[in-house]
Amino acid sequence: MERIPILKIGDVLLASIQIDLQDRDVLALQEDLAERISETGAHGVILDITAVDIVDSFIGRMFATIAATSRLFDAHTVVVGMRPAVAITLVELGLTLGEVRTALDLEKGLAILAELGEQAPR
Amino acid sequence: MTTESGRSDNLAALLRDRAETLTARWVELSAAPLKGRLSVAELDRELTELYSVLLAAVETGNRDAHGSAFADVRALLSDISRRRARAGFTPTETAIGVFALKQAFFELVDRAEGAGLGDVVVLSQLLDALGLWTFESYARAREEVIDEQAEQLLELTTPVVKLWDGVLAVPLVGTLDSARTQVVMEKLLESLVSTGAAHAIIDITGVLAVDTQVAQHLLKTVMAARLMGAECTISGIRPHIAQTIVGLGIEFGDIPTKASLADALRHALKRSGVDFVRADGRR
């Protein structure tokens, strides 16, 4: 199993998913992220799924779970770079991502996190 | 079977011997109803080719117009019918090309030049079958034309336009069905990715009717755009469509809807932090 690398930029954690996601990969990512957030005290998490072609209902739900977990550490989650096909699939599956924010690309995702950080100064 | 093949050979021999007379008369008869829309030279070339292929098929002794012996004849006929259909000839004008040979042959028989009743019946049946084949090819070609046009219409009527930096609009015109909404949805989402626009406006001023299914598709498009991180506004809802939407109990939820495209643009610009002031400083 490949571990998805988690990079730290300032107080934001970036997980760029470059592989076809399996259920266990996402579960591992969730665990790793939770650990890294509590370790670093990051205030934002960005999941970059630009390279992801296929998303099923389980993985869709896991995005929401990751966001909910991050919220417990007072960190916001932004999913960036979702492909049109993936978005259509998720809508057809009837999934909403709950409190997950989305952005077209990494740059806009970082902008959203910066804005959220300003609104709630810590 | 011996009589059968003997008779066949007679027909083949007859067609071979009288090739020139028959072809000439055939071209003459076919040219008349076309009223000069197709040059005689061209018709002559087509029919001579068809005649030689037909003769080759008849010479094999096979009389089944749908059999493998006639594959070349059918291919050539399909080709000719297709061309006629695209050039705008009527089905009658197309089929007459085949049936004219029958008349040419009858005239030959009438002059009692060695053809028996058996030959007439066999050739007649054969040409009938080929005539029907012509009809089918013609109809198929027409259907292809219609399909192509429908596809072109689909492409034509769903442009994604850029209104401002980071603001896209899709003006929808006409009737929305599932296939079209699907195209619109995919095109819009693709454009969001390629331009990086964070706002999209779906303008339905030109849409004449909205039912639950269309509304459902619109909602799905907005949700999908949202999942990708772009905001979607629906604008240009006509009064009677608004009444229908409320009457059907369709919930647009927290999706912003605006009366006009101008309002939607103003909303999108405001959201992206653009402010307008008049040149003279007044708001």
Side-chain angles (χ1 to χ4, degrees):
Chain A
M1 190 181 80
E2 286 179 74
R3 281 282 203 226
I4 295 161
I6 299 169
L7 313 172
K8 183 170 174 297
I9 312 169
D11 55 358
V12 172
L13 294 179
L14 168 67
S16 182
I17 302 167
Q18 307 282 349
I19 52 169
D20 276 339
L21 282 178
Q22 303 293 324
D23 289 358
R24 53 191 181 156
D25 298 331
V26 195
L27 287 170
L29 177 65
Q30 188 196 4
E31 279 170 31
D32 291 354
L33 268 176
E35 255 168 54
R36 288 297 296 275
I37 299 171
S38 79
E39 232 172 68
T40 59
H43 89 257
V45 175
I46 288 186
L47 296 175
D48 175 20
I49 58 167
T50 313
V52 176
D53 285 322
I54 300 164
V55 164
D56 61 15
S57 57
F58 177 78
I59 293 168
R61 217 165 41 241
M62 286 311 287
F63 290 151
T65 316
I66 288 174
T69 318
S70 315
R71 275 312 288 150
L72 293 177
F73 298 103
D74 194 24
H76 292 279
T77 305
V78 183
V79 172
V80 303
M82 191 183 289
R83 299 266 194 101
V86 172
I88 293 173
T89 310
L90 289 181
V91 172
E92 294 292 342
L93 288 172
L95 276 182
T96 49
L97 293 186
E99 54 183 312
V100 180
R101 300 290 299 262
T102 50
L104 284 170
D105 51 36
L106 182 57
E107 201 179 353
K108 293 199 172 70
L110 286 169
I112 288 180
L113 285 179
E115 204 178 294
L116 288 172
E118 274 170 29
Q119 280 172 12
R122 292 187 287 162
Chain B
M1 285 311 276
T2 41
T3 46
E4 176 89 0
S5 68
R7 197 195 298 156
S8 315
D9 286 343
N10 187 25
L11 178 60
L14 196 66
L15 287 178
R16 194 167 46 239
D17 295 342
R18 302 288 174 181
E20 266 178 41
T21 332
L22 278 173
T23 325
R25 185 72 186 130
W26 187 13
V27 172
E28 199 182 322
L29 285 170
S30 316
L34 298 183
K35 298 184 191 85
R37 272 187 290 162
L38 203 64
S39 75
V40 177
E42 198 179 339
L43 196 64
D44 185 61
R45 192 179 46 73
E46 270 180 7
L47 295 187
T48 310
E49 193 188 356
L50 186 58
Y51 192 87
S52 64
V53 180
L54 181 68
L55 181 59
V58 171
E59 274 176 338
T60 62
N62 199 317
R63 291 292 176 270
D64 178 15
H66 298 285
S68 56
F70 281 83
D72 284 348
V73 182
R74 290 200 305 272
L76 193 59
L77 266 181
S78 300
D79 199 35
I80 295 176
S81 318
R82 201 170 290 269
R83 249 177 292 151
R84 294 274 198 285
R86 289 194 179 261
F89 288 92
T90 67
T92 312
E93 285 163 349
T94 308
I96 209 90
V98 173
F99 293 126
L101 177 59
K102 210 152 104 175
Q103 205 190 331
F105 191 72
F106 287 164
E107 286 172 11
L108 192 77
V109 175
D110 204 32
R111 294 199 296 274
E113 295 192 35
L117 179 63
D119 296 327
V120 173
V121 171
V122 168
L123 188 72
S124 181
Q125 277 171 349
L126 202 58
L127 290 180
D128 284 347
L130 292 175
L132 287 178
W133 176 265
T134 316
F135 266 127
E136 269 172 41
S137 309
Y138 180 89
R140 227 178 359 250
R142 285 298 275 261
E143 266 161 37
E144 276 168 23
V145 172
I146 293 170
D147 283 350
E148 269 169 34
Q149 284 172 346
E151 211 166 287
Q152 283 168 359
L153 208 61
L154 210 62
E155 287 293 309
L156 268 180
T157 50
T158 49
V160 178
V161 292
K162 181 180 169 184
L163 285 185
W164 203 272
D165 266 348
V167 184
L168 296 179
V170 200
L172 293 179
V173 176
T175 318
L176 285 181
D177 56 19
S178 306
R180 256 195 84 192
T181 340
Q182 188 78 20
V183 173
V184 173
M185 187 172 178
E186 278 166 20
K187 258 184 126 177
L188 176 63
L189 299 184
E190 291 289 345
S191 311
L192 285 176
V193 173
S194 59
T195 61
H199 291 272
I201 299 168
I202 301 177
D203 184 73
I204 58 169
T205 312
V207 176
L208 301 174
V210 167
D211 59 13
T212 41
Q213 215 177 354
V214 170
Q216 192 68 27
H217 281 301
L218 285 176
L219 292 183
K220 275 184 185 169
T221 310
V222 175
M223 297 311 284
R226 224 175 239 190
L227 279 179
M228 289 173 52
E231 205 192 339
C232 240
T233 311
I234 296 176
S235 74
I237 301 177
R238 286 149 171 265
H240 74 266
I241 289 183
Q243 284 172 7
T244 318
I245 289 174
V246 173
L248 287 170
I250 299 165
E251 286 285 336
F252 271 55
D254 54 349
I255 296 166
T257 53
K258 299 285 170 192
S260 69
L261 186 58
D263 289 339
L265 178 60
R266 190 174 299 131
H267 171 77
L269 289 175
K270 208 159 123 194
R271 291 294 301 249
S272 52
V274 177
D275 198 7
F276 286 105
V277 276
R278 290 178 64 99
D280 59 11
R282 281 187 293 135
R283 277 260 164 169

